[in-house]
Amino acid sequence: QVQLVESGGGLVQAGGSLRLSCAASSRTFRRYAMGWFRQAPGKEREFVGAINWSGGSTYYADSVKGRFTISRDNAKNTLYLQMNSLKPEDTAVYYCAADFSWPLTDGMDYWGKGTLVTASS
């Protein structure tokens, strides 16, 4: 079993940057493909981006492509999401999740509890 804890959320002005982290409890972290998802107030949770086991392959939602970058450090059991050029519509609770499958499936195996990102206009 893998426990995931997100951090790094906060309040930032539109156009600014934040980096989220997701710390995994297990050394098996390196076996999992990882994803970032978000849920804005009153909306359903949506996919943001994903990275494979080695970090050599990534893909993103069109809404964040070119602005957000996913990376991972398997030695530190940590996943990252670098968010640049933030927009008010990026405001949401951001979740990391783990899955054995690649590309990611609809049913992720493990989820974190989320961290809130607020981009003010």
Side-chain angles (χ1 to χ4, degrees):
Q1 191 167 3
V2 178
Q3 292 183 330
L4 303 172
V5 179
E6 301 93 339
S7 62
L11 175 65
V12 63
Q13 286 190 333
S17 299
L18 278 177
R19 188 176 82 156
L20 304 184
S21 299
C22 171
S25 63
S26 174
R27 293 180 182 179
T28 59
F29 170 77
R30 66 189 63 208
R31 299 180 186 174
Y32 289 90
M34 299 295 297
W36 285 100
F37 297 79
R38 67 187 182 186
Q39 187 167 17
K43 296 187 177 181
E44 294 187 353
R45 187 158 56 190
E46 64 175 5
F47 169 77
V48 173
I51 188 167
N52 73 342
W53 309 273
S54 68
S57 181
T58 58
Y59 60 96
Y60 300 89
D62 288 343
S63 59
V64 306
K65 200 173 295 182
R67 299 187 298 123
F68 290 11
T69 303
I70 294 177
S71 62
R72 65 191 296 163
D73 185 337
N74 287 341
K76 295 182 178 180
N77 294 340
T78 304
L79 173 74
Y80 303 100
L81 181 66
Q82 178 66 43
M83 305 185 294
N84 298 328
S85 302
L86 282 160
K87 304 175 181 179
E89 51 264 43
D90 294 319
T91 294
V93 176
Y94 283 71
Y95 301 88
C96 64
D99 194 349
F100 273 122
S101 300
W102 181 259
L104 300 184
T105 62
D106 289 337
M108 300 296 286
D109 294 318
Y110 302 103
W111 290 89
K113 294 184 177 180
T115 185
L116 176 64
V117 171
T118 304
S120 63
S121 57

